[in-house]
Amino acid sequence: MSNQAANNLANENVTLVLFHNDLRVADNATLLKASEISIDGKLLLVYASSLTDILDDKDYYDAYRYEAMGQARQQFLHESLADLNTSLMQRGNRLLYLQKGDEALDVFTQLSDLIAQQRVTDICISQTADYNKNKVYDLMQAKYPEIQWHIHTTATLFDKLPLESLPKSFTQFRKKIESDYDLLHAEKDIAISPTPETLAPLPDNMLSRDEYFFESQLSSETEVNKTLKQTSNFTGGESNGLKHLDAYFCSDAPSTYKTTRNALDEWAHSTKFSAWLANGSLSVNTILNRLRRYERDIIGNDSTYWIWFELLWREYFYWYAVTHQQKLFWFKGIAQHAPSTQLIESLLAQWKNGTTQYPIVNACMNQLNATGYMSNRGRQLVASCFIHELGLDWRYGAAYFEQHLVDYDVGSNWGNWQYLAGVGADPRGCRQFNLDKQTQQYDPNGEFIREWQGNTQKSD
């Protein structure tokens, strides 16, 4: 680099956005802030895969962590990143993608090198409940104390925990929130961050660095798998999330949600917003405003209220993860005593492969393995079986869900597993479901079990 080029870099504002759980351009306070502070400078828009691999001293599930993201979740993520890249290119920039290859440096080192080479002056990130992601951010802030950090809220209804402390149960949380903040029926819609019309360009010396561009980083392994797409209705990305949002609220489904939400396999019987919410392709504010509009223009009833109820459930477990941090991954959770369960590899394999003696559980697991999705009712049944019938360490089930679910969310996943294992937010202790009774109630004719081959015994 010439001295003149170095001097120009030294005097120029270079802002870096580190995307994580905010893969969208609309209602994205982090991206908006970056566009504002980089208006006379340059802008780096980065997604760093496997950034937490740098943490050798993990305080959580190192012994039972998964080795590779499941195919369906990986596909949904790459569809989301491709959609984000398209939106960024329409605004004059593009997505940079960091991942560890066979011979590449770890992603933390790659990101550090990029920051140093481009003389980044500002870093913008979205607030997250991910304990290990926050540890990496702390390491980076310590490494670059001269860089200005900007942290914004993009994933929750509230910028910070709206109460003095987090109640011990969701019911207490819900009642307090509904008493103090009537977001569902407030006079004005929830405020939405404006979408930047244009973005500052990449630094000039990055324009020829094809190896950083998202399109160049994709391998053949991330191409759309035809078999997967035939079995899954989920397509990642903000544009697809908004299409689904419109289709859902243009139907009658919201008015019957409470009576259909426990169905095991029908697309329209639950909202299916969770996948786009999980990686931030849709904002919770956008969904809540559409729900409010539906109540104003169409109907407000127990079913539409229950959609709000589920958004609050998600909110509670976000702040649950923020509050309890590494305890989210402890065997005894936030409880005083550890559960009396253990790891038995043969039983774990049966559960994963859908070869237990419980057809409803097998069907749900086959559905998960094929599509990356399982209904809320199904998740409760397979988790209950995992903990109570099979007597397994709940953390291995939570880690398997993390590996495969297209709508994986750290707080919702690990918090709900703790809840069912009796080491979390449920004051009544662990919850066990009668699998025979549940099968009769939710699959009385065996249609779901036949569809997903729950009676088929396969070799492990």
Side-chain angles (χ1 to χ4, degrees), residues 237-249:
E238 179 179 17
S239 62
N240 292 304
L242 290 171
K243 288 177 184 176
H244 173 65
L245 184 70
D246 286 339
Y248 183 78
F249 281 111

Side-chain angles (χ1 to χ4, degrees), residues 317-334:
F317 278 105
Y318 180 95
W319 296 111
Y320 182 91
V322 169
T323 299
H324 297 296
Q325 300 187 55
Q326 68 267 44
K327 290 183 180 180
L328 192 67
F329 313 105
W330 287 3
F331 183 41
K332 67 177 183 179
I334 64 171

Side-chain angles (χ1 to χ4, degrees), residues 244 248 257 260-261 263 266-273 373 375:
H244 173 65
Y248 183 78
Y257 171 74
T260 64
R261 65 191 178 89
E266 293 294 330
W267 177 257
H269 282 177
S270 62
T271 68
K272 302 298 191 296
F273 297 147
Y373 181 76
S375 69

Side-chain angles (χ1 to χ4, degrees), residues 357-371:
Q357 60 180 298
Y358 308 102
I360 192 69
V361 171
N362 297 341
C364 288
M365 294 304 296
N366 291 341
Q367 181 189 41
L368 172 65
N369 291 331
T371 69

Side-chain angles (χ1 to χ4, degrees), residues 125-180:
I125 61 171
S126 291
Q127 182 188 73
T128 177
D130 189 323
Y131 171 72
N132 288 285
K133 189 74 70 174
N134 285 324
K135 285 186 68 176
V136 172
Y137 293 158
D138 289 344
L139 288 173
M140 193 162 292
Q141 289 188 62
K143 185 172 184 177
Y144 299 105
E146 72 282 3
I147 293 178
Q148 181 70 38
W149 282 67
H150 310 268
I151 304 175
H152 292 269
T153 302
T154 62
T156 54
L157 295 168
F158 299 97
D159 289 348
K160 60 182 180 180
L161 179 63
L163 310 175
E164 290 185 6
S165 61
L166 186 73
K168 293 182 179 180
S169 73
F170 166 72
T171 298
Q172 295 172 344
F173 175 80
R174 176 183 60 81
K175 289 180 177 179
K176 185 64 174 174
I177 292 298
E178 290 182 334
S179 172
D180 295 352

Side-chain angles (χ1 to χ4, degrees), residues 21-257:
N21 59 343
D22 52 356
L23 306 184
R24 63 181 186 271
V25 297
D27 193 30
N28 189 335
T30 300
L31 183 62
L32 179 64
K33 179 65 175 180
S35 70
E36 293 171 347
I37 62 179
S38 64
I39 192 167
D40 294 320
K42 303 295 184 181
L43 182 59
L44 300 163
L45 303 166
V46 178
Y47 183 85
S49 176
S50 305
L51 190 58
T52 57
D53 285 353
I54 190 65
L55 300 176
D56 294 327
D57 58 337
K58 294 182 181 67
D59 289 317
Y60 68 130
Y61 58 104
D62 191 54
Y64 48 92
R65 67 193 299 267
Y66 62 84
E67 294 301 321
M69 187 181 292
Q71 185 180 38
R73 187 179 171 203
Q74 181 83 352
Q75 184 65 46
F76 189 84
L77 171 62
H78 279 87
E79 289 166 350
S80 301
L81 293 174
D83 192 79
L84 174 63
N85 186 44
T86 297
S87 296
L88 298 178
M89 292 180 70
Q90 290 171 348
R91 289 161 176 80
N93 206 297
R94 63 198 306 176
L95 186 65
L96 308 179
Y97 185 58
L98 304 182
Q99 66 175 337
K100 189 178 186 308
D102 294 337
E103 300 179 0
L105 299 171
D106 64 78
V107 174
F108 183 89
T109 301
Q110 292 180 51
L111 181 59
S112 299
D113 289 347
L114 183 64
I115 290 171
Q117 292 166 6
Q118 299 303 319
R119 302 193 182 187
V120 170
T121 58
D122 297 79
I123 294 179
C124 298
I125 61 171
S126 291
Q127 182 188 73
T128 177
D130 189 323
Y131 171 72
N132 288 285
K133 189 74 70 174
N134 285 324
K135 285 186 68 176
V136 172
Y137 293 158
D138 289 344
L139 288 173
M140 193 162 292
Q141 289 188 62
K143 185 172 184 177
Y144 299 105
E146 72 282 3
I147 293 178
Q148 181 70 38
W149 282 67
H150 310 268
I151 304 175
H152 292 269
T153 302
T154 62
T156 54
L157 295 168
F158 299 97
D159 289 348
K160 60 182 180 180
L161 179 63
L163 310 175
E164 290 185 6
S165 61
L166 186 73
K168 293 182 179 180
S169 73
F170 166 72
T171 298
Q172 295 172 344
F173 175 80
R174 176 183 60 81
K175 289 180 177 179
K176 185 64 174 174
I177 292 298
E178 290 182 334
S179 172
D180 295 352
Y181 307 92
D182 190 12
L183 298 183
L184 184 59
H185 304 111
E187 183 177 344
K188 295 182 179 180
D189 276 354
I190 309 302
I192 298 292
S193 294
T195 303
E197 294 183 3
T198 60
L199 296 168
L202 281 164
D204 295 340
N205 61 0
M206 288 293 297
L207 297 177
S208 61
R209 302 291 298 274
D210 289 351
E211 69 273 19
Y212 281 108
F213 297 155
F214 172 74
E215 308 95 311
S216 303
Q217 287 289 310
L218 292 183
S219 68
S220 59
E221 294 178 357
T222 64
E223 294 178 357
V224 174
N225 182 288
K226 293 182 179 179
T227 301
L228 176 63
K229 299 313 292 181
Q230 288 171 355
T231 57
S232 176
N233 289 309
F234 289 99
T235 303
E238 179 179 17
S239 62
N240 292 304
L242 290 171
K243 288 177 184 176
H244 173 65
L245 184 70
D246 286 339
Y248 183 78
F249 281 111
C250 287
S251 74
D252 295 330
S255 64
T256 59
Y257 171 74

Side-chain angles (χ1 to χ4, degrees), residues 241-437:
L242 290 171
K243 288 177 184 176
H244 173 65
L245 184 70
D246 286 339
Y248 183 78
F249 281 111
C250 287
S251 74
D252 295 330
S255 64
T256 59
Y257 171 74
K258 189 177 181 181
T259 59
T260 64
R261 65 191 178 89
N262 282 309
L264 295 172
D265 204 20
E266 293 294 330
W267 177 257
H269 282 177
S270 62
T271 68
K272 302 298 191 296
F273 297 147
S274 58
W276 291 283
L277 274 172
N279 67 20
S281 295
L282 280 180
S283 81
V284 65
N285 293 331
T286 298
I287 293 174
L288 180 54
N289 280 341
R290 286 301 301 269
L291 174 61
R292 287 161 49 87
R293 188 193 311 172
Y294 188 92
E295 286 204 335
R296 290 195 306 264
D297 298 345
I298 309 297
I299 190 175
N301 59 15
D302 286 348
S303 287
T304 55
Y305 169 79
W306 214 257
I307 297 174
W308 158 249
F309 181 97
E310 299 290 3
L311 293 178
L312 272 187
W313 183 272
R314 174 184 177 272
E315 189 81 8
Y316 176 74
F317 278 105
Y318 180 95
W319 296 111
Y320 182 91
V322 169
T323 299
H324 297 296
Q325 300 187 55
Q326 68 267 44
K327 290 183 180 180
L328 192 67
F329 313 105
W330 287 3
F331 183 41
K332 67 177 183 179
I334 64 171
Q336 298 300 314
H337 303 286
S340 57
T341 53
Q342 58 184 317
L343 172 63
I344 303 173
E345 292 285 358
S346 60
L347 294 180
L348 177 62
Q350 289 176 19
W351 182 83
K352 287 181 177 180
N353 297 330
T355 58
T356 72
Q357 60 180 298
Y358 308 102
I360 192 69
V361 171
N362 297 341
C364 288
M365 294 304 296
N366 291 341
Q367 181 189 41
L368 172 65
N369 291 331
T371 69
Y373 181 76
M374 188 191 301
S375 69
N376 178 61
R377 176 58 51 175
R379 297 180 201 201
Q380 294 181 68
L381 298 184
V382 302
S384 176
C385 176
F386 188 94
I387 295 161
H388 301 294
E389 274 73 22
L390 303 180
L392 295 171
D393 180 341
W394 66 270
R395 298 172 298 174
Y396 290 85
Y400 194 74
F401 270 22
E402 177 176 350
Q403 181 179 12
H404 289 282
L405 284 173
V406 294
D407 61 356
Y408 169 74
D409 172 88
V410 63
S412 294
N413 183 65
W414 290 84
N416 275 291
W417 271 91
Q418 283 194 0
Y419 178 84
L420 288 166
V423 295
D426 187 354
R428 290 176 288 180
C430 59
R431 296 193 172 216
Q432 182 174 9
F433 291 86
N434 184 314
L435 296 176
D436 289 336
K437 182 178 179 181

